[in-house]
Amino acid sequence: MKLGIDGKVALVLGAGGGLGGAISQSLAAEGVRVAVADIDADAAKKTVEAITKNGGVACALRWDLADLGSIEGNIATIEAELGPVDILVNNTGGPPPTSAAGQDPAMWRKHFDSMVLSVIAITDRVLPGMRERKWGRIITSTSSGVVAPIPNLGISNALRMSLVGWSKTLAREVGGDGVTVNVVLPGRVATDRIQFLDEAKAKREGRTVESVSAESTAAIPVGRYGRPDEYGDVVTFLVSQNASYITGSIIRVDGGLINTI
Protein backbone atom coordinates (compact mmCIF):
# COMPACT_ATOMS: atom_id res chain seq x y z
CA MET A 1 0.00 0.00 0.00
CA LYS A 2 1.37 3.39 -1.00
CA LEU A 3 0.73 5.83 1.85
CA GLY A 4 1.35 9.05 -0.05
CA ILE A 5 3.65 10.66 2.53
CA ASP A 6 7.03 10.27 0.83
CA GLY A 7 8.90 13.58 1.20
CA LYS A 8 6.68 14.95 3.96
CA VAL A 9 8.33 16.41 7.08
CA ALA A 10 7.45 15.12 10.54
CA LEU A 11 8.27 16.33 14.01
CA VAL A 12 8.11 13.55 16.59
CA LEU A 13 8.36 14.54 20.25
CA GLY A 14 9.82 12.20 22.83
CA ALA A 15 11.47 10.28 20.00
CA GLY A 16 14.65 9.16 21.71
CA GLY A 17 13.27 5.66 22.24
CA GLY A 18 10.15 3.72 23.13
CA LEU A 19 7.00 4.69 21.27
CA GLY A 20 8.43 7.92 19.85
CA GLY A 21 11.48 6.17 18.49
CA ALA A 22 9.36 3.47 16.88
CA ILE A 23 7.05 6.06 15.32
CA SER A 24 10.05 7.95 13.93
CA GLN A 25 11.51 4.85 12.32
CA SER A 26 8.17 3.77 10.87
CA LEU A 27 7.63 7.20 9.33
CA ALA A 28 11.15 7.29 7.91
CA ALA A 29 10.64 3.91 6.28
CA GLU A 30 7.83 5.52 4.26
CA GLY A 31 10.09 8.31 3.03
CA VAL A 32 9.14 10.92 5.64
CA ARG A 33 11.91 13.31 6.70
CA VAL A 34 11.88 13.15 10.48
CA ALA A 35 12.87 15.68 13.14
CA VAL A 36 13.64 13.55 16.20
CA ALA A 37 13.12 15.57 19.39
CA ASP A 38 13.95 14.43 22.90
CA ILE A 39 15.20 15.92 26.17
CA ASP A 40 18.01 13.33 25.98
CA ALA A 41 20.22 14.47 23.09
CA ASP A 42 22.15 11.20 22.93
CA ALA A 43 18.93 9.18 22.74
CA ALA A 44 17.66 11.40 19.91
CA LYS A 45 20.93 10.86 18.03
CA LYS A 46 20.59 7.09 18.38
CA THR A 47 17.16 7.20 16.78
CA VAL A 48 18.56 9.31 13.95
CA GLU A 49 21.42 6.84 13.48
CA ALA A 50 18.92 3.97 13.20
CA ILE A 51 16.96 5.92 10.59
CA THR A 52 19.95 6.97 8.48
CA LYS A 53 21.40 3.47 8.64
CA ASN A 54 18.31 2.31 6.78
CA GLY A 55 18.55 5.09 4.21
CA GLY A 56 16.17 7.58 5.83
CA VAL A 57 16.57 11.30 6.43
CA ALA A 58 16.40 12.71 9.96
CA CYS A 59 17.84 15.30 12.31
CA ALA A 60 18.12 15.27 16.10
CA LEU A 61 17.09 18.05 18.46
CA ARG A 62 17.48 18.28 22.20
CA TRP A 63 14.08 19.54 23.30
CA ASP A 64 12.92 20.17 26.86
CA LEU A 65 9.15 20.39 26.49
CA ALA A 66 8.84 22.31 29.76
CA ASP A 67 10.82 25.17 28.17
CA LEU A 68 8.18 26.91 26.06
CA GLY A 69 10.70 29.55 25.06
CA SER A 70 12.62 27.01 22.98
CA ILE A 71 9.76 26.28 20.58
CA GLU A 72 10.43 28.99 18.02
CA GLY A 73 14.15 28.25 17.75
CA ASN A 74 13.63 24.51 17.45
CA ILE A 75 10.94 24.84 14.78
CA ALA A 76 13.15 27.27 12.84
CA THR A 77 15.95 24.67 12.91
CA ILE A 78 13.64 22.00 11.52
CA GLU A 79 12.39 24.30 8.78
CA ALA A 80 15.96 25.15 7.79
CA GLU A 81 17.19 21.54 7.76
CA LEU A 82 14.16 19.58 6.57
CA GLY A 83 11.38 22.00 5.60
CA PRO A 84 8.05 23.04 7.15
CA VAL A 85 6.35 20.52 9.41
CA ASP A 86 3.55 18.55 7.74
CA ILE A 87 3.14 15.89 10.44
CA LEU A 88 3.29 16.51 14.18
CA VAL A 89 3.39 13.63 16.64
CA ASN A 90 2.83 14.87 20.17
CA ASN A 91 4.40 12.26 22.42
CA THR A 92 5.42 13.35 25.90
CA GLY A 93 6.87 11.64 28.93
CA GLY A 94 4.66 10.74 31.84
CA PRO A 95 4.61 11.92 35.47
CA PRO A 96 5.54 9.63 38.34
CA PRO A 97 2.83 7.36 39.81
CA THR A 98 0.66 9.37 42.21
CA SER A 99 -2.76 9.40 43.79
CA ALA A 100 -5.19 12.03 42.52
CA ALA A 101 -5.52 13.65 45.94
CA GLY A 102 -2.99 15.54 47.99
CA GLN A 103 -0.45 16.44 45.32
CA ASP A 104 1.50 19.68 45.51
CA PRO A 105 0.08 22.28 43.09
CA ALA A 106 3.64 22.87 41.90
CA MET A 107 3.78 19.28 40.66
CA TRP A 108 0.52 19.69 38.77
CA ARG A 109 1.87 22.87 37.18
CA LYS A 110 5.21 21.29 36.24
CA HIS A 111 3.62 18.39 34.41
CA PHE A 112 0.84 20.51 32.92
CA ASP A 113 3.48 22.69 31.28
CA SER A 114 5.46 19.76 29.85
CA MET A 115 2.59 17.42 28.98
CA VAL A 116 -0.25 19.74 27.96
CA LEU A 117 0.75 23.35 27.41
CA SER A 118 3.83 22.39 25.39
CA VAL A 119 1.72 20.21 23.07
CA ILE A 120 -0.77 23.01 22.50
CA ALA A 121 1.93 25.63 21.92
CA ILE A 122 3.94 23.50 19.49
CA THR A 123 0.79 22.61 17.57
CA ASP A 124 -0.19 26.28 17.37
CA ARG A 125 3.24 27.06 15.92
CA VAL A 126 3.07 24.56 13.03
CA LEU A 127 -0.69 24.57 12.38
CA PRO A 128 -0.91 27.80 10.32
CA GLY A 129 1.49 26.37 7.75
CA MET A 130 -0.49 23.15 7.51
CA ARG A 131 -3.72 25.06 6.97
CA GLU A 132 -2.12 27.26 4.35
CA ARG A 133 -0.80 24.23 2.45
CA LYS A 134 -4.18 22.47 2.87
CA TRP A 135 -2.53 19.35 4.30
CA GLY A 136 -1.47 18.36 7.76
CA ARG A 137 -1.56 15.63 10.35
CA ILE A 138 -1.59 16.03 14.14
CA ILE A 139 -1.34 12.92 16.29
CA THR A 140 -1.33 13.02 20.09
CA SER A 141 -0.17 9.89 21.87
CA THR A 142 -1.78 9.61 25.28
CA SER A 143 -2.57 6.63 27.53
CA SER A 144 -5.28 4.06 28.11
CA GLY A 145 -5.98 6.08 31.27
CA VAL A 146 -8.03 8.55 29.22
CA VAL A 147 -10.78 5.96 28.70
CA ALA A 148 -10.20 3.75 31.76
CA PRO A 149 -8.35 5.70 34.49
CA ILE A 150 -5.38 3.75 35.80
CA PRO A 151 -5.05 3.44 39.60
CA ASN A 152 -2.19 5.44 41.11
CA LEU A 153 -1.68 7.49 37.95
CA GLY A 154 -3.83 10.42 39.07
CA ILE A 155 -1.83 13.21 37.44
CA SER A 156 -1.37 11.30 34.20
CA ASN A 157 -5.06 10.40 33.91
CA ALA A 158 -6.17 14.00 34.47
CA LEU A 159 -3.69 15.79 32.25
CA ARG A 160 -3.86 13.39 29.34
CA MET A 161 -7.65 13.59 29.42
CA SER A 162 -7.43 17.33 28.83
CA LEU A 163 -5.54 16.64 25.60
CA VAL A 164 -8.39 14.46 24.37
CA GLY A 165 -10.87 17.32 24.74
CA TRP A 166 -8.47 19.72 23.06
CA SER A 167 -7.80 17.34 20.19
CA LYS A 168 -11.46 16.66 19.48
CA THR A 169 -12.25 20.37 19.49
CA LEU A 170 -9.32 21.17 17.21
CA ALA A 171 -10.30 18.46 14.74
CA ARG A 172 -13.62 20.20 14.08
CA GLU A 173 -11.90 23.56 13.63
CA VAL A 174 -9.33 22.50 11.02
CA GLY A 175 -10.91 19.57 9.18
CA GLY A 176 -11.99 21.79 6.29
CA ASP A 177 -8.38 22.84 5.76
CA GLY A 178 -7.15 19.31 5.02
CA VAL A 179 -5.72 18.84 8.51
CA THR A 180 -6.64 15.76 10.53
CA VAL A 181 -6.29 15.54 14.31
CA ASN A 182 -6.37 12.23 16.13
CA VAL A 183 -5.46 10.65 19.45
CA VAL A 184 -3.69 7.31 19.68
CA LEU A 185 -3.47 5.49 22.95
CA PRO A 186 -1.35 2.48 23.84
CA GLY A 187 -2.21 -0.41 26.06
CA ARG A 188 0.65 -2.43 27.52
CA VAL A 189 3.36 -1.82 24.94
CA ALA A 190 6.81 -3.07 25.92
CA THR A 191 8.73 0.16 26.54
CA ASP A 192 10.95 1.46 29.32
CA ARG A 193 7.95 3.42 30.67
CA ILE A 194 5.88 0.24 31.07
CA GLN A 195 8.83 -1.52 32.67
CA PHE A 196 9.12 1.38 35.13
CA LEU A 197 5.41 1.22 35.98
CA ASP A 198 5.55 -2.55 36.46
CA GLU A 199 8.54 -2.15 38.78
CA ALA A 200 6.80 0.61 40.75
CA LYS A 201 3.68 -1.52 41.19
CA ALA A 202 5.75 -4.50 42.29
CA LYS A 203 7.55 -2.42 44.89
CA ARG A 204 4.33 -0.81 46.12
CA GLU A 205 2.58 -4.17 46.52
CA GLY A 206 5.55 -6.20 47.75
CA ARG A 207 5.55 -8.46 44.71
CA THR A 208 7.97 -9.51 42.01
CA VAL A 209 8.07 -7.67 38.70
CA GLU A 210 7.49 -11.00 36.96
CA SER A 211 4.21 -11.54 38.81
CA VAL A 212 3.01 -8.05 37.94
CA SER A 213 3.90 -8.57 34.28
CA ALA A 214 2.20 -11.97 34.24
CA GLU A 215 -0.96 -10.48 35.77
CA SER A 216 -1.03 -7.72 33.18
CA THR A 217 -0.43 -10.15 30.34
CA ALA A 218 -3.30 -12.35 31.51
CA ALA A 219 -5.67 -9.38 31.12
CA ILE A 220 -4.71 -8.82 27.48
CA PRO A 221 -6.85 -10.84 25.05
CA VAL A 222 -3.98 -11.36 22.57
CA GLY A 223 -1.87 -12.69 25.45
CA ARG A 224 1.19 -10.47 25.26
CA TYR A 225 2.52 -6.93 25.55
CA GLY A 226 2.57 -4.99 22.31
CA ARG A 227 5.70 -4.14 20.34
CA PRO A 228 6.68 -0.48 19.81
CA ASP A 229 6.89 -1.03 16.05
CA GLU A 230 3.24 -2.16 16.01
CA TYR A 231 2.27 1.12 17.62
CA GLY A 232 4.50 3.10 15.27
CA ASP A 233 2.94 1.53 12.20
CA VAL A 234 -0.57 2.49 13.33
CA VAL A 235 0.53 6.12 13.70
CA THR A 236 2.14 6.02 10.26
CA PHE A 237 -1.09 4.82 8.69
CA LEU A 238 -3.09 7.54 10.47
CA VAL A 239 -0.87 10.29 9.05
CA SER A 240 -1.05 8.82 5.55
CA GLN A 241 -3.07 10.03 2.60
CA ASN A 242 -5.10 6.82 2.90
CA ALA A 243 -6.39 7.94 6.32
CA SER A 244 -7.54 11.38 5.21
CA TYR A 245 -11.13 10.68 6.32
CA ILE A 246 -10.16 9.77 9.89
CA THR A 247 -10.19 12.74 12.25
CA GLY A 248 -11.39 13.56 15.75
CA SER A 249 -10.92 9.91 16.69
CA ILE A 250 -9.30 7.95 19.48
CA ILE A 251 -7.48 4.90 18.16
CA ARG A 252 -6.61 2.16 20.65
CA VAL A 253 -3.53 0.02 20.13
CA ASP A 254 -4.00 -2.27 23.08
CA GLY A 255 -4.43 -5.90 22.06
CA GLY A 256 -8.00 -5.69 23.34
CA LEU A 257 -6.94 -4.76 26.87
CA ILE A 258 -9.16 -1.74 27.54
CA ASN A 259 -12.38 -3.00 29.06
CA THR A 260 -14.71 -0.25 27.84
CA ILE A 261 -16.65 0.42 24.65
Side-chain angles (χ1 to χ4, degrees), residues 67-87:
D67 179 9
L68 301 181
S70 68
I71 293 174
E72 184 58 40
N74 285 333
I75 296 295
T77 296
I78 295 168
E79 292 173 339
E81 294 193 24
L82 302 178
V85 175
D86 303 297
I87 298 164

Side-chain angles (χ1 to χ4, degrees), residues 113-134:
D113 285 351
S114 62
M115 292 175 59
V116 179
L117 195 55
S118 63
V119 164
I120 294 170
I122 293 168
T123 302
D124 281 346
R125 172 59 179 79
V126 301
L127 186 58
M130 293 179 180
R131 300 179 83 171
E132 183 178 342
R133 295 187 298 275
K134 298 296 180 182

Side-chain angles (χ1 to χ4, degrees), residues 90-186:
N90 293 311
N91 174 57
T92 71
T98 63
S99 61
Q103 303 306 317
D104 189 325
M107 180 176 283
W108 282 99
R109 169 59 67 181
K110 172 186 175 182
H111 293 293
F112 176 81
D113 285 351
S114 62
M115 292 175 59
V116 179
L117 195 55
S118 63
V119 164
I120 294 170
I122 293 168
T123 302
D124 281 346
R125 172 59 179 79
V126 301
L127 186 58
M130 293 179 180
R131 300 179 83 171
E132 183 178 342
R133 295 187 298 275
K134 298 296 180 182
W135 200 97
R137 301 288 186 264
I138 299 166
I139 299 287
T140 301
S141 179
T142 57
S143 160
S144 61
V146 304
V147 293
I150 302 169
N152 207 49
L153 286 181
I155 292 178
S156 177
N157 294 334
L159 296 185
R160 294 190 195 279
M161 179 66 80
S162 66
L163 287 172
V164 174
W166 164 80
S167 182
K168 182 68 173 180
T169 306
L170 184 62
R172 295 185 64 87
E173 294 176 358
V174 301
D177 297 318
V179 179
T180 65
V181 186
N182 290 292
V183 170
V184 184
L185 57 92

Side-chain angles (χ1 to χ4, degrees), residues 158-223:
L159 296 185
R160 294 190 195 279
M161 179 66 80
S162 66
L163 287 172
V164 174
W166 164 80
S167 182
K168 182 68 173 180
T169 306
L170 184 62
R172 295 185 64 87
E173 294 176 358
V174 301
D177 297 318
V179 179
T180 65
V181 186
N182 290 292
V183 170
V184 184
L185 57 92
R188 307 293 291 184
V189 179
T191 62
D192 289 344
R193 170 70 174 175
I194 291 299
Q195 178 67 22
F196 167 76
L197 292 176
D198 281 354
E199 290 172 351
K201 183 175 182 179
K203 182 177 180 180
R204 189 170 63 250
E205 298 180 357
R207 302 166 55 189
T208 65
V209 176
E210 290 75 18
S211 71
V212 170
S213 177
E215 180 181 71
S216 295
T217 300
I220 302 171
V222 302

